[in-house]
Amino acid sequence: MKDSTQELEFTGDRGRSMAHRDFRKAATWEQSEGSPLPLGSTWIEEEQAYNFAICAEYAESVTLLLYTAPELVVPAFVYRFDFLTNKSGHIWHCRIPIADIGECRYYAYSVSGEDLPGVHSFDPQKVLLDPYAKAVFFPPEFDRTLAMREGSNAGKAPLGVLTGHRAEFDWGGSQPPHHEADAIIYELHVRGFTKNPNSGVDSSRAGTYAGLLDKIPYLKDLGVTVVELMPVFQRDPQEGDYWGYMPLNFFSPHAQYASDHYQDQHLEFKHMVKAFHEAGIGIVLDVVYNHTCEGDHRGPIYSYKGLGSASYYMMTSDPANPYANYSGTGNTLNFGKSHVRKMVMDSLRYWKKEMHIDGFRFDLASVFSRNADGSLNWGHAPIFAEIASDPELGSLRLIAEPWDTGAYQLGRGFPGITWLQWNGRFRDDVRRFVKGDAEMVPDLMRRIYGSDDFFPDDRPDAYHAYQSVNYVTSHDGFTLYDLVSYNEKHNGANGQNNQDGMNENYSWNSGHEGDAGAPAEVLALRRKQVKNFFCLLMLSNGTPMFRAGDEFLNTQFGNNNPYNQDNITGWLDWSQLQSNQDVFRFFKSMIAFRKSHPTLSRSRFWREDVAWYGTGVTADLSPDSHSLTFCLHGASHDDQDIYVMINAYWENLEFHIQEGTASEWTRIVDTALPTPNDFSNSSEPLKTLVYLVAPRSVVVLLQLKQPKDLGLDIDDSPSQRTS
C-alpha cells in the first residue's frame, strides 16, 4: 500500500506537512493529542484551536488535509496522524491551533487500509469528506465521476467547511409550537413548493428555504399546523436526486436550497424555522439514515466507503456485490455498529439543538431494526431505546415509515413503541373503498376508528390512536388528483421505461385516462372523489397528513415516482390554485372543522362513543356493501355529535338517520353539491330523518342540541338536499 502523502502529492512549496509536532510545552494531553469527542471539527475558543476527530475503525493511516479558498487541489496544511499519539479506540484525533491553519477554510481526509476481499473501499488517492461536517463545499470543478473510478479526485471532491467562527443565532423569544388534536401534517418539497415561476415568490428566493417564508400566510390560511419537509440533508448535486433521498452528509443543510439573501444556508434555514414557529407551525424533517449516496460497489467514494465500508455498511459474502441493499438504493448503513448509531444520534441532536427542529420522519425505518447480519430484531433494537431515553429527543414528534424493501412492521411489529407511524394500510384501504372495490367496509371501519388492529390499546401494548399517521397520498405515489385521473402510472420521463414507481396504486381514472379529452362529467366526478378522500381523512381518528398541492388539484401528469423531475412535473403549479378555488375552500373548511371538533382526533380510541350504522339501523358488512354510517358522540369531549353517511356506490342510496330528531341535526357537508353548498356553516335543521345520498358522496351532519359557534368563517346557507 502506497503512503497517502505520496499518492496525493501533498509535499511541495504550497503545502506544509506536520507529522510529529513538539507539544512538550502543552498544558494538557488534549491540547497535544486532541480529543476523540466530539467527532467532527470543533472550534475551541479558549485555545483558539480546532479539534478534529473522525471514526475510521479499520484504517491503517489517516491524514488531515486543509485547503485555502484559492487553492483547492494541493492542501495548504497536512497533518499525518500517529496512532500512538492521535488515536483512541477507533477514533483518530488531533488539535490544531488557528495560527497553524492560517487562511484555510476547508478540510478533508486521506485514509488508507486493507480492503475486504472483492471490496474497493480504502483508496488513499481519494479526498474524503468528514461524516460530521456541518457544511459541505463543492469546488467549481466538482466531478462525481472521478469518485467512481480509481485515481485522485483532488480539487474535484466535496470538502468540509470550517464553521467554528459562526456567530450565535438570535432565536429571540420564539418557542416550538405543540400540537395534539389540532395536528395537521403537510408534506412539501423545499424546492418544488416555490420554484415554479407562478408561485408568486421572487425568482431570487424561489425554490429556497427563504422562499418558504413567503408562503407562511398561505399555510396559515389553509390551516396546517405541522410542515414535514422532504429531505434537506446535503446530497450530491450531480446525482439527479431531486427528491433528496440519497444523502451525502447527515449534519449539513442542502446548500443548493439556499438563496443569496443570507450568505449561509445555516442562517437561512434557522430564519425559516424561527418564522414558522412564530406562526405557530411546527417543522418535521424527513430524514434518511438508512443509506447514503455512495451506492453499491459501482458508486462513488466520497466519505464512508473511504473510511472503511465494513465499518459503516452492512456487507454480504457476494463478491459480485458485497453491499447489502435493504434500502433499494445500493447500500444499507449498519446499525449493529455503535459508532453508526452514535452518528445518527449526534445528527438528531444537532438538528434539534442547533436548528430547533420539532420532529423527524424516518425513511425506511425498519432498517433500524436490522442486526449486523441483516436479520430483523423484532424485540428491542438498540437505537430505538437510545432515542427514547435521550432527554433532547424523546419528547419530539418521531414518525416512522415502518418498512424497508424486505420488511413490513406497521403497528406493534415496529420496535419504536411510542413512535408515530405512516399507516400504509389506511392509504390502501381508503383508496380501495372510495374507488368502489368490494369487501372494503369492515376495513374502512377499522381505519376510521384509528386502526386499533395495528395499534391495540390493550394492557400489554397500550398504543394511542394518534400514533397512526393517516394519509391517502404522499410524495411516494400519485398526487390526489392523479389518483382519480389515472389507472396506470406514466413514468416514461424518468428514464426507466416506466418500470419504476409503484404498480399497485389502487387508483381509478373516473372513466377516462388523463386530462386530454376528458368529458365534463368525468372532471366533475374527479373533484367529488378528491373531496370524498379528504373528507374521510379529516373525519378519521389518528394524525392526518396530506401532500402539498392536493388542496388545489396539482398534477404530476400521471407520474407516480418523479424522484428526478426537477421541472414542472415535480414543481407545484400554483395556477391551479386559482382554477380550483372550490377544492381549496373545501380543504380549508374540512381542516377548520376537524380542528374545531377535538372529539374527532383523540389520544384514545372512540370506544363506546361511536355507533356504527348502514343505510338503516345495521351496518352492512357484506362483500357487496359500499356504504357506511357512523355517529360520533362528543359529550365526553365537551363537543357536539357528528353523524357521517358514506356512499361509495354508483347509485343513490337512501339513508335513514338513526339518532335524534330532524330538528337536532344540520348538514355541514355534502360532497355531491356544488360549491359553496358542498360545505356549509348553516344552522338550518333537517326537515326529515331520511337523506338521499348521491352516488360516490359523503354527507356530514352536526348536532344542534347545544348550538355554539363552530369556529368556521363561512357564510353560505345551502339548500338542503334530502329526499
Side-chain angles (χ1 to χ4, degrees):
M1 179 72 67
K2 294 182 180 179
D3 183 85
S4 61
T5 59
Q6 296 174 345
E7 293 290 350
L8 283 170
E9 300 181 353
F10 294 151
T11 58
D13 294 338
R14 291 180 293 172
R16 292 182 293 118
S17 176
M18 302 187 69
H20 300 285
R21 301 171 58 200
D22 186 0
F23 283 111
R24 285 172 295 182
K25 296 181 180 180
T28 68
W29 293 339
E30 286 190 352
Q31 288 175 323
S32 62
E33 300 177 357
S35 171
L37 295 175
L39 289 162
S41 65
T42 306
W43 173 246
I44 312 297
E45 177 68 26
E46 59 271 21
E47 296 180 26
Q48 291 292 292
Y50 276 98
N51 191 86
F52 295 89
I54 190 167
C55 182
E57 183 178 5
Y58 303 119
E60 296 176 356
S61 69
V62 175
T63 303
L64 173 68
L65 317 172
L66 299 180
Y67 299 86
T68 61
E71 176 54 77
L72 301 173
V73 177
V74 178
F77 182 92
V78 176
Y79 186 88
R80 301 182 187 89
F81 294 79
D82 179 355
F83 76 90
L84 292 175
T85 304
N86 305 112
K87 190 169 186 284
S88 300
H90 299 153
I91 299 175
W92 303 72
H93 48 82
C94 67
R95 187 76 54 90
I96 310 294
I98 190 68
D100 292 344
I101 290 176
E103 298 300 316
C104 293
R105 295 179 58 187
Y106 311 113
Y107 75 105
Y109 293 92
S110 172
V111 177
S112 65
E114 185 174 349
D115 282 329
L116 295 172
V119 179
H120 176 59
S121 177
F122 288 113
D123 187 345
Q125 299 181 85
K126 292 292 183 289
V127 175
L128 301 179
L129 177 68
D130 178 7
Y132 276 71
K134 302 305 187 296
V136 180
F137 171 73
F138 294 90
E141 300 299 318
F142 168 68
D143 189 344
R144 169 183 170 82
T145 62
L146 292 181
M148 301 174 69
R149 60 174 185 256
E150 291 192 29
S152 173
N153 62 345
K156 301 181 180 182
L159 305 173
V161 181
L162 296 174
T163 59
H165 297 289
R166 183 180 294 125
E168 289 291 323
F169 181 77
D170 181 11
W171 289 98
S174 66
Q175 294 293 324
H178 180 68
H179 297 287
E180 293 182 335
D182 64 336
I184 310 288
I185 302 176
Y186 185 79
E187 184 196 38
L188 66 81
H189 187 283
V190 171
R191 180 171 170 83
F193 196 61
T194 63
K195 184 59 180 175
N196 199 312
N198 63 21
S199 70
V201 175
D202 186 88
S203 59
S204 65
R205 298 160 61 90
T208 68
Y209 304 120
L212 291 185
L213 272 68
D214 295 355
K215 289 295 185 181
I216 289 178
Y218 169 83
L219 296 173
K220 285 183 65 67
D221 183 45
L222 179 58
V224 299
T225 56
V226 180
V227 166
E228 182 176 301
L229 300 180
M230 288 176 65
V232 297
F233 288 171
Q234 183 62 61
R235 58 183 186 270
D236 177 353
Q238 292 185 355
E239 189 174 12
D241 171 32
Y242 167 64
W243 272 358
Y245 286 93
M246 297 292 284
L248 169 64
N249 177 274
F250 301 125
F251 291 85
S252 53
H254 189 58
Q256 288 70 30
Y257 286 165
S259 67
D260 295 330
H261 292 266
Y262 295 91
Q263 305 299 320
D264 181 342
Q265 67 263 35
H266 296 80
L267 185 60
E268 184 167 332
F269 190 92
K270 290 176 180 179
H271 273 287
M272 177 197 70
V273 174
K274 181 179 179 182
F276 271 90
H277 284 178
E278 289 174 344
I281 300 175
I283 297 286
V284 168
L285 295 188
D286 187 344
V287 289
V288 184
Y289 290 116
N290 55 80
H291 68 279
T292 77
C293 68
E294 289 186 318
D296 58 18
H297 58 291
R298 299 163 297 183
I301 298 175
Y302 282 137
S303 182
Y304 315 92
K305 283 182 179 178
L307 297 172
S309 289
S311 184
Y312 284 89
Y313 296 116
M314 290 185 184
M315 309 300 290
T316 74
S317 58
D318 182 2
N321 184 7
Y323 293 90
N325 184 19
Y326 296 105
S327 66
T329 58
N331 63 57
T332 308
L333 283 174
N334 187 352
F335 289 94
K337 295 281 189 177
S338 61
H339 64 269
V340 172
R341 298 197 304 273
K342 174 177 170 51
M343 178 176 65
V344 172
M345 294 293 293
D346 287 345
S347 171
L348 293 170
R349 292 189 193 105
Y350 177 78
W351 288 97
K352 168 60 175 69
K353 181 179 179 181
E354 297 297 327
M355 301 299 194
H356 287 210
I357 292 303
D358 305 300
F360 302 92
R361 178 267 186 189
F362 295 80
D363 179 67
L364 300 180
S366 286
V367 168
F368 288 175
S369 303
R370 293 195 177 274
N371 300 311
D373 62 359
S375 61
L376 282 171
N377 184 336
W378 292 93
H380 301 285
I383 194 167
F384 295 106
E386 291 168 10
I387 292 174
S389 61
D390 187 279
E392 291 277 346
L393 305 176
S395 61
L396 296 181
R397 194 182 300 273
L398 304 174
I399 307 172
E401 184 181 40
W403 54 78
D404 61 23
T405 58
Y408 191 83
Q409 296 179 293
L410 176 63
R412 56 183 162 185
F414 186 73
I417 297 174
T418 60
W419 289 33
L420 283 68
Q421 300 179 36
W422 272 27
N423 191 340
R425 276 295 300 272
F426 183 96
R427 173 198 63 199
D428 294 345
D429 290 348
V430 172
R431 285 184 179 191
R432 294 185 62 194
F433 174 82
V434 172
K435 75 187 282 281
D437 283 1
E439 303 182 11
M440 294 309 302
V441 171
D443 289 319
L444 179 69
M445 291 174 65
R446 300 305 286 263
R447 303 308 146 236
I448 291 174
Y449 184 71
S451 295
D452 66 322
D453 48 343
F454 291 103
F455 301 93
D457 62 347
D458 52 20
R459 184 178 291 107
D461 297 297
Y463 282 95
H464 294 261
Y466 63 75
Q467 290 181 251
S468 172
V469 176
N470 300 330
Y471 68 104
V472 177
T473 59
S474 67
H475 71 275
D476 196 5
F478 282 140
T479 69
L480 191 52
Y481 180 74
D482 289 356
L483 185 68
V484 299
S485 303
Y486 295 91
N487 284 349
E488 307 295 337
K489 62 185 182 183
H490 296 262
N491 297 359
N494 299 347
Q496 299 186 41
N497 297 316
N498 207 39
Q499 297 302 304
D500 62 306
M502 294 185 295
N503 293 319
E504 290 295 333
N505 295 288
Y506 303 118
S507 62
W508 179 51
N509 63 19
S510 305
H512 183 93
E513 188 75 0
D515 280 344
E521 60 270 18
V522 167
L523 296 176
L525 176 57
R526 289 175 181 174
R527 302 176 94 81
K528 183 165 64 169
Q529 291 285 71
V530 163
K531 294 175 185 179
N532 290 336
F533 275 121
F534 197 69
C535 193
L536 293 178
L537 178 64
M538 289 296 112
L539 294 172
S540 297
N541 202 6
T543 302
M545 181 193 78
F546 66 105
R547 61 179 289 167
D550 280 350
E551 70 272 19
F552 52 76
L553 304 185
N554 189 67
T555 179
Q556 292 172 172
F557 315 106
N559 192 328
N560 76 350
N561 189 41
Y563 69 97
N564 59 1
Q565 298 300 308
D566 188 7
N567 50 47
I568 59 171
T569 298
W571 305 339
L572 293 195
D573 179 5
W574 287 90
S575 70
Q576 296 299 312
L577 176 59
Q578 298 304 317
S579 303
N580 300 301
Q581 273 291 308
D582 61 318
V583 177
F584 174 80
R585 175 188 175 278
F586 186 85
F587 273 56
K588 173 182 172 180
S589 302
M590 284 303 307
I591 291 172
F593 181 78
R594 179 181 179 87
K595 290 163 67 175
S596 64
H597 291 285
T599 187
L600 287 165
S601 181
R602 303 187 184 187
S603 171
R604 308 293 174 171
F605 294 101
W606 292 338
R607 293 194 175 278
E608 65 277 359
D609 279 349
V610 67
W612 301 96
Y613 306 106
T615 56
V617 67
T618 304
D620 184 356
L621 306 182
S622 67
D624 294 330
S625 174
H626 298 276
S627 62
L628 179 66
T629 296
F630 68 92
C631 183
L632 180 60
H633 305 119
S636 64
H637 282 63
D638 193 26
D639 204 347
Q640 295 151 286
D641 294 351
I642 299 171
Y643 198 92
V644 180
M645 296 172 281
I646 308 166
N647 179 16
Y649 195 49
W650 36 94
E651 295 181 8
N652 291 323
L653 290 179
E654 186 176 87
F655 283 72
H656 294 258
I657 299 168
Q658 299 299 311
E659 300 203 12
T661 64
S663 62
E664 293 174 329
W665 296 106
T666 185
R667 188 190 67 232
I668 298 296
V669 173
D670 187 336
T671 60
L673 296 176
T675 191
N677 296 340
D678 53 354
F679 191 101
S680 167
N681 193 26
S682 170
S683 58
E684 179 184 352
L686 298 183
K687 296 181 174 63
T688 173
L689 286 175
V690 178
Y691 199 107
L692 188 66
V693 180
R696 303 187 188 276
S697 301
V698 178
V699 174
V700 180
L701 309 178
L702 186 64
Q703 181 191 40
L704 280 177
K705 283 183 178 179
Q706 298 174 337
K708 63 179 179 179
D709 180 16
L710 304 184
L712 307 176
D713 186 21
I714 298 173
D715 300 326
D716 350 280
S717 298
S719 59
Q720 185 172 301
R721 190 180 189 283
T722 60
S723 61

